[in-house]
């Protein structure tokens, strides 16, 4: 069988992207069909005269674009075409938000059977800027894409769980801690169903949320040290939604947004979608450096800064009280708006108060229960100065109209009866227990961690290429996340290892021993130009 080798002579940009582009072009021309096996990493590297790591990165880019799929132990295959109206987002193709789009602000169309007006991302921004969205409009929702998540029955129960099975790949990639196995939430849901007409929770409500829901979320905010005034709190469909609303409200295309030089990957996705510029701020073991931030504010005129001051993802750092004071002084000096992501804060109860407490007049604080109770509930909240609440509420209405009432009612009851705090304590103990398994196997390696956190940062030795290790781990049945996913700028040599998504410490121990074996092998020295 003839090995397909891409022609890179006509492409542009980094080699790994040109390889991915060539795969896409070959699919469009019919040269590659769904199910065709792509050359092995080493064969491709040999024929093109590049490193194995470059091919690994190219295949990952092809997977991200939906062109290919890697199967552990079998190789990389051309994937079947997706059933979607969205065009492939390859360089040279217009970014489209709907059928017939011609560019990043092309109209999003409704179903062909409706006569609703076209709506664009620019329209949505303008609604938020105006502080309102007219009720009763027939505006079409922006389709942000869907993901097909496979669920399988957990053995011995009737409960479905995603990718956490005893016989699947070991998931060190997803930072999604599983809740304790108990029936309390089941009972609370029964109580909700029996407590009165359910219609009150499934009909349209204001984007501000029902008063008792806001009171519960304000109570949670107060527990972390913020003002517990419900008027400063808005419910959201998770922290990711809160983050989207905040950035949509306070940035415009071309604005500069600062962040840590290693940051939450979806911030990069939002930057591409909303067309704001992203710049990383240099960090030390505590977080961003005040003098570097001050210099960027003086010379670059940023609009917003997004930070994770407590249990940073992925570097596990927590700012000291003194560092928070210094950062707050810079923010106030330059009138820079802070968006603080505190989703992991509950895992470090000894941390200083949120950075937002040091600059409350310029802070948008985001938190929720995705890591403590369950990400499937999609409940978070925004805590902000009262003068910003109306615009932020408009952003909520623009993006999802309202946060689901049943979910909010469940979380409200879990906050008020102490379950959320109880789960937080349980997670700290569970994370510490699991961390012991991880550190026991990685003795002698450069590991950054917090004793009650669900992920570590592993700095790799100089002779090991990160992408090569991630690929070899995947081929051995272990999923990891490389530094490139978090970097705003040049990525460091390392990876994040998250251990909250697995149900058994036996699998965690097995997975980390596979990583240890790969670290100790010498095969990485072959990952050079061939």
């Amino acid at each position: 069988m003839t090995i397909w080798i891409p022609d890179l002579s006509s492409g542009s940009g980094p080699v790994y992207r040109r390889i991915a582009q060539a795969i896409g072009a070959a699919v469009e021309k019919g040269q590659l069909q769904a199910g065709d096996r792509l050359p092995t990493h080493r064969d491709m590297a040999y024929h093109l005269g590049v490193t194995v790591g470059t091919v690994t990165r190219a295949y990952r880019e092809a997977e991200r674009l939906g062109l290919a799929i890697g199967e552990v132990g079998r190789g990389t295959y051309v994937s079947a075409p997706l059933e979607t109206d969205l065009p492939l987002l390859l360089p040279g193709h217009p970014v489209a938000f709907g059928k017939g789009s011609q560019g990043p602000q092309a109209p999003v169309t409704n179903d062909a059977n409706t006569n609703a007006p076209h709506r664009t991302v620019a329209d949505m921004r303008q609604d938020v800027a105006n502080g309102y969205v007219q009720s009763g409009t027939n505006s079409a929702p922006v389709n942000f894409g869907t993901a097909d998540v496979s669920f399988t029955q957990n053995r011995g129960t009737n409960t479905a769980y995603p990718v956490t099975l005893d016989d699947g790949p070991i998931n060190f990639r997803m930072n999604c801690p599983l809740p304790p196995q108990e029936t309390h939430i089941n009972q609370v849901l029964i109580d909700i169903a029996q407590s009165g007409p359910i219609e009150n929770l499934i009909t349209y409500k204001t984007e501000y949320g029902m008063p008792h829901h806001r009171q519960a979320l304000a109570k949670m905010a107060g527990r972390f040290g913020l003002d517990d005034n419900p008027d400063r709190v808005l419910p959201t469909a998770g922290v990711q939604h809160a983050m989207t609303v905040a950035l949509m409200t306070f940035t415009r295309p071309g604005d500069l947004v600062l962040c840590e030089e290693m940051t939450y990957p979806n911030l990069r996705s939002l930057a591409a979608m909303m067309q704001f510029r992203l710049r990383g701020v240099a960090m030390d073991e505590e977080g961003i450096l005040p003098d570097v931030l001050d210099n960027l504010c003086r010379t670059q005129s940023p609009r917003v800064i997004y930070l994770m001051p407590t249990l940073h993802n992925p570097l596990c750092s927590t700012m000291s009280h003194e560092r928070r004071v210094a950062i707050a002084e810079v923010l106030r000096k330059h009138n820079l708006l802070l968006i603080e992501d505190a989703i992991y804060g509950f895992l470090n109860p000894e941390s200083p108060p949120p950075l937002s407490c040091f600059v409350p007049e310029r802070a948008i604080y985001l938190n929720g229960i995705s890591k403590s109770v369950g990400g499937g509930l999609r409940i978070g909240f925004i805590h902000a100065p009262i003068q910003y609440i109306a615009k932020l509420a408009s952003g909520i209405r623009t993006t999802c109209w309202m946060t689901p009432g049943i979910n909010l009612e469940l979380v409200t009851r879990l906050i008020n009866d102490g379950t959320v705090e109880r789960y937080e304590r349980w997670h700290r103990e569970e994370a510490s227990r699991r961390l012991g398994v991880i550190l026991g196997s990685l003795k002698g390696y450069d590991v950054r961690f917090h004793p009650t956190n669900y992920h570590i940062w592993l700095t790799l030795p100089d002779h090991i290429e990160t992408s090569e290790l991630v690929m070899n781990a995947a081929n051995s049945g272990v999923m990891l996340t490389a530094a490139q996913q978090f970097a705003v700028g040049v990525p460091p040599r390392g990876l994040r290892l998250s251990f909250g998504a697995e149900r058994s410490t036996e699998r965690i121990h097995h997975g980390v021993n596979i990583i240890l074996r790969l670290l100790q092998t010498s095969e990485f020295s072959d990952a050079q130009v061939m």
Side-chain angles (χ1 to χ4, degrees):
M1 178 179 177
T2 303
I3 296 178
W4 176 83
I5 299 297
D7 179 7
L8 306 184
S9 61
S10 60
S12 62
V15 173
Y16 81 93
R17 286 185 182 166
R18 287 157 60 191
I19 296 172
Q21 291 172 33
I23 294 171
V27 170
E28 290 181 358
K29 295 175 182 177
Q31 297 170 352
L32 289 174
Q33 304 293 328
D36 286 350
R37 182 174 178 175
L38 294 172
T40 67
H41 296 68
R42 293 189 183 278
D43 283 346
M44 180 74 84
Y46 173 80
H47 284 91
L48 293 179
V50 300
T51 66
V52 172
T54 297
V55 177
T56 299
R57 193 173 183 187
Y59 282 5
R60 290 186 66 186
E61 177 72 2
E63 289 188 41
R64 186 184 71 82
L65 295 170
L67 297 168
I69 184 169
E71 298 185 14
V72 176
R74 296 190 61 218
T76 304
Y77 294 80
V78 177
S79 62
L82 297 174
E83 295 297 327
T84 176
D85 290 329
L86 294 179
L88 196 62
L89 299 184
L90 291 171
H93 289 246
V95 178
F97 291 88
K99 185 183 293 184
S101 298
Q102 298 300 316
Q105 292 188 354
V108 178
T109 63
N110 269 337
D111 186 272
N113 293 324
T114 70
N115 294 316
H118 296 309
R119 301 282 292 160
T120 68
V121 171
D123 294 330
M124 297 168 71
R125 289 183 182 279
Q126 191 57 51
D127 289 336
V128 176
N130 291 337
Y132 70 93
V133 180
Q134 293 181 353
S135 60
T137 62
N138 293 319
S139 57
V142 170
N143 182 358
F144 289 99
T146 59
D148 180 15
V149 181
S150 297
F151 287 78
T152 308
Q153 292 298 113
N154 190 35
R155 292 174 179 173
T157 74
N158 292 321
T159 307
Y161 296 106
V163 293
T164 56
L165 301 180
D166 291 342
D167 56 357
I170 295 172
N171 187 358
F172 288 160
R173 179 182 296 166
M174 299 298 293
N175 214 346
C176 48
L178 298 171
Q181 297 296 289
E182 62 168 37
T183 61
H184 178 66
I185 292 179
N186 304 51
Q187 186 57 53
V188 175
L189 286 169
I190 293 172
D191 293 342
I192 291 171
Q194 295 176 342
S195 62
I198 202 70
E199 289 81 1
N200 194 43
L201 295 175
I202 64 173
T203 53
Y204 283 110
K205 294 291 184 293
T206 170
E207 62 271 28
Y208 288 84
M210 299 171 71
H212 70 291
H213 294 159
R214 296 180 76 186
Q215 289 168 2
L217 295 173
K219 176 182 177 181
M220 181 174 171
R223 186 160 55 82
F224 290 108
L226 289 96
D227 180 6
D228 62 358
N229 179 359
D231 291 338
R232 297 187 62 178
V233 172
L234 292 169
T236 62
V239 173
Q240 172 68 38
H241 178 231
M243 180 180 173
T244 302
V245 168
L247 289 166
M248 175 185 253
T249 303
F250 294 106
T251 68
R252 296 293 176 268
D255 282 348
L256 177 63
V257 173
L258 300 180
C259 62
E260 292 106 339
E261 58 187 353
M262 295 285 283
T263 193
Y264 177 45
N266 275 4
L267 178 63
R268 298 166 59 195
S269 301
L270 287 172
M273 174 173 283
M274 297 184 181
Q275 301 176 5
F276 57 77
R277 296 174 294 135
L278 202 56
R279 175 74 179 267
V281 182
M283 306 172 67
D284 62 9
E285 66 279 359
E286 284 192 34
I288 64 168
L289 298 166
D291 57 338
V292 175
L293 174 61
D294 183 64
N295 182 61
L296 285 171
C297 288
R298 285 188 296 101
T299 60
Q300 303 295 323
S301 301
R303 178 86 171 185
V304 170
I305 186 168
Y306 166 88
L307 295 175
M308 293 175 280
T310 303
L311 286 185
H312 177 269
N313 177 25
L315 297 179
C316 306
S317 58
T318 294
M319 284 187 186
S320 66
H321 185 281
E322 292 74 19
R323 177 64 60 86
R324 293 175 194 238
V325 170
I327 295 296
E329 289 177 354
V330 177
L331 299 180
R332 189 171 284 114
K333 173 183 176 182
H334 296 283
N335 201 31
L336 183 62
L337 183 70
L338 167 69
I339 298 176
E340 178 176 5
D341 187 338
I343 190 63
Y344 296 104
F346 74 94
L347 290 170
N348 186 3
E350 305 303 320
S351 70
L355 180 56
S356 297
C357 293
F358 295 82
V359 57
E361 77 282 2
R362 299 291 303 165
I364 310 297
Y365 174 90
L366 316 178
N367 208 335
I369 51 80
S370 292
K371 308 301 180 183
S372 58
V373 180
L377 288 171
R378 308 312 306 143
I379 295 297
F381 66 87
I382 296 173
H383 183 284
I386 289 179
Q387 66 267 26
Y388 296 148
I389 290 296
K391 281 192 172 184
L392 289 163
S394 178
I396 293 171
R397 185 165 183 164
T398 300
T399 51
C400 72
W401 193 273
M402 54 173 278
T403 305
I406 287 182
N407 297 32
L408 270 172
E409 181 65 22
L410 172 59
V411 172
T412 291
R413 296 191 183 207
L414 296 178
I415 291 172
N416 290 336
D417 71 7
T419 298
V420 171
E421 286 187 74
R422 178 165 60 85
Y423 276 25
E424 290 172 354
R425 291 192 297 270
W426 180 89
H427 277 297
R428 291 192 290 269
E429 295 172 1
E430 181 67 9
S432 178
R433 185 176 70 86
R434 292 171 175 233
L435 178 65
V437 176
I438 299 290
L439 297 182
S441 296
L442 293 178
K443 292 179 180 178
Y445 288 92
D446 186 356
V447 177
R448 296 181 65 170
F449 66 92
H450 182 274
T452 55
N453 193 21
Y454 274 114
H455 72 264
I456 65 167
W457 178 260
L458 174 63
T459 299
L460 297 178
D462 290 342
H463 70 284
I464 295 179
E465 185 175 347
T466 306
S467 58
E468 184 83 348
L469 175 61
V470 171
M471 178 196 70
N472 287 343
N475 288 335
S476 300
V478 179
M479 300 187 296
L480 299 170
T481 307
Q484 287 88 337
Q485 299 295 314
F486 306 95
V488 181
V490 179
R493 184 181 296 275
L495 55 85
R496 186 189 74 181
L497 193 157
S498 302
F499 43 89
E502 286 295 334
R503 292 203 170 275
S504 71
T505 52
E506 290 77 14
R507 277 172 58 86
I508 293 173
H509 187 263
H510 179 59
V512 76
N513 280 340
I514 289 174
I515 295 170
L516 180 63
R517 172 176 58 80
L518 294 172
L519 289 169
Q520 292 173 341
T521 63
S522 59
E523 60 188 276
F524 294 99
S525 61
D526 297 329
Q528 307 296 328
V529 176
M530 301 179 65

